[in-house]
Amino acid sequence: MVQIPVYVFTGFLDSGKTKFIQETLEDERFNAGERTLLLVCEEGEEEYDFSTYPHQNVYLEVVDQETVTTKELQALAKKHKAQRVVAELNGMQLVGDLYTRFPEDWVVAQEVMFADATTFMTYNANMRNLVMDKLVGGQMVVFNRLEKGADIMPFHKLARAANRRIDILYDYTDGTTQFDDIEDPLPFDINAPVIEIKDEDFAIFYRDITEEPQKYNGKTVSFKGQVALLRRDKNGMFAPGRFVMTCCADDIQFCGIPCKYEKAKKLESRSWVQVKAAVSAEKHPLYQGELGPVLTALAVTSAQPAAEEVATF
């Protein structure tokens, strides 16, 4: 199957998506003759000017992001014999909902979020689930319309809370740009003989160990969590973890780490335990063929529930 790369641009209305896509399609380094389906899910004040493109091989289609079907997307790609897709998404819709309707041969090559710095914090205060939805899956976020000398720390903290791997670019009103180079030290000592995880740091710990399991390979960790019993590994394994909320109550999910423990079947589901365990980076069905953290219990003891049952960032 020939895969069709999809370049996704997210953000709210008037955040600069159209302007950036226009300039990108004017660049011969990006637009070298590939047949490109330009999929627009949100019409703003800016319009695309096809006369400036080095090749007349860009085909605009406007769709309703909320209702468009897989068959309709397949038909559009076939109609234009598309070799790739550039998608401008509607900021008021969830990105993941559309991804589930992408044709099987569409593969997201890059996802970039654009954010107007003058309105971004207001969006975050009033529609946090939509903001986090776009930050969590993005490879890059561009904060534009920033005044030179403005405090960038609030933007940095918010983006990093959602996605530690996301690249951050600040685009200033004087025409200059700056990549974010602020270091984010972890709130625990990863080089300690035993990495002690405080209750309030579990969400950060879980995200870090699952994103970079090899960094923890051979280390020992200690944390408090609830017992989750695994269907496939009923004997000798369980998954201690916590319910984690990324942005709002709707996205709370249990985040557990598979743990080898010979007395696992004696544990009570949802009970609280303190786990001390050695970490290894290996494959497990939970990780769908990828490397992930797997624990080997050194000690499992009963514990009092965390002050906040749901862990947050």
Side-chain angles (χ1 to χ4, degrees):
M1 179 189 300
V2 178
Q3 294 184 333
I4 298 178
V6 185
Y7 299 88
V8 179
F9 300 91
T10 69
F12 297 100
L13 194 65
D14 296 329
S15 60
K17 301 189 299 290
T18 304
K19 182 175 183 291
F20 182 85
I21 295 172
Q22 172 70 29
E23 293 174 350
T24 300
L25 290 171
E26 291 174 351
D27 190 336
E28 290 188 355
R29 293 171 297 179
F30 183 81
N31 189 352
E34 302 91 337
R35 297 181 67 85
T36 302
L37 169 60
L38 177 55
L39 199 66
V40 175
C41 304
E42 177 181 66
E43 292 189 89
E45 294 182 1
E46 294 263 355
E47 293 186 359
Y48 289 100
D49 182 0
F50 289 75
S51 67
T52 62
Y53 298 162
H55 301 278
Q56 298 306 305
N57 56 352
V58 179
Y59 308 95
L60 174 67
E61 294 284 355
V62 179
V63 299
D64 185 332
Q65 183 173 327
E66 189 174 12
T67 61
V68 69
T69 66
T70 302
K71 287 186 177 180
E72 290 171 336
L73 294 173
Q74 286 174 325
L76 291 176
K78 184 177 180 180
K79 173 185 175 181
H80 299 295
K81 300 178 182 179
Q83 295 173 290
R84 64 181 179 182
V85 177
V86 173
E88 179 182 353
L89 302 195
N90 186 328
M92 302 306 293
Q93 301 292 328
L94 295 174
V95 176
D97 287 349
L98 178 62
Y99 283 175
T100 62
R101 284 174 272 133
F102 273 5
E104 188 178 355
D105 57 345
W106 285 25
V107 179
V108 177
Q110 187 176 34
E111 182 183 324
V112 180
M113 179 184 185
F114 287 83
D116 181 345
T118 64
T119 60
F120 184 71
M121 289 305 175
T122 301
Y123 275 111
N124 182 60
N126 298 308
M127 291 177 283
R128 186 169 171 79
N129 63 322
L130 291 174
V131 170
M132 298 299 285
D133 168 69
K134 292 155 186 59
L135 288 172
V136 166
Q139 280 80 47
M140 176 184 287
V141 58
V142 179
F143 292 108
N144 52 40
R145 299 170 190 156
L146 270 168
E147 293 292 336
K148 201 69 176 178
D151 182 10
I152 60 175
M153 188 57 74
F155 303 105
H156 167 90
K157 287 183 175 180
L158 185 55
R160 285 284 189 265
N163 182 348
R164 285 184 65 85
R165 292 185 174 184
I166 197 168
D167 289 325
I168 305 172
L169 180 68
Y170 303 107
D171 187 2
Y172 294 98
T173 53
D174 67 357
T176 62
T177 59
Q178 172 191 348
F179 272 102
D180 188 298
D181 59 1
I182 301 171
E183 292 189 13
D184 287 304
L186 293 167
F188 44 84
D189 184 0
I190 196 172
N191 295 312
V194 177
I195 305 171
E196 301 282 353
I197 308 302
K198 296 179 181 178
D199 292 352
E200 60 267 29
D201 296 330
F202 178 84
I204 293 174
F205 161 68
Y206 179 82
R207 181 178 59 192
D208 199 57
I209 196 173
T210 51
E211 287 182 351
E212 299 184 75
Q214 290 175 311
K215 185 169 75 176
Y216 291 81
N217 193 47
K219 295 183 180 294
T220 300
V221 298
S222 177
F223 64 91
K224 183 188 293 182
Q226 289 182 276
V227 172
L229 301 177
L230 302 175
R231 292 180 181 179
R232 294 187 180 183
D233 299 304
K234 293 181 179 179
N235 298 318
M237 183 167 272
F238 75 113
R242 298 273 305 274
F243 284 94
V244 175
M245 179 174 70
T246 301
C247 63
C248 60
D250 290 338
D251 75 355
I252 294 175
Q253 59 181 330
F254 187 80
C255 297
I257 304 172
C259 179
K260 300 172 185 176
Y261 181 50
E262 59 182 9
K263 299 180 182 179
K265 63 182 180 181
K266 295 183 179 180
L267 296 173
E268 182 182 349
S269 179
R270 298 290 295 273
S271 63
W272 286 86
V273 290
Q274 183 73 32
V275 177
K276 181 180 179 182
V279 184
S280 60
E282 52 186 274
K283 292 184 179 180
H284 185 275
L286 285 176
Y287 304 128
Q288 301 179 343
E290 300 293 328
L291 282 178
V294 175
L295 308 178
T296 299
L298 302 176
V300 178
T301 56
S302 61
Q304 292 296 314
E308 298 292 338
E309 183 170 337
V310 176
T312 67
F313 294 94

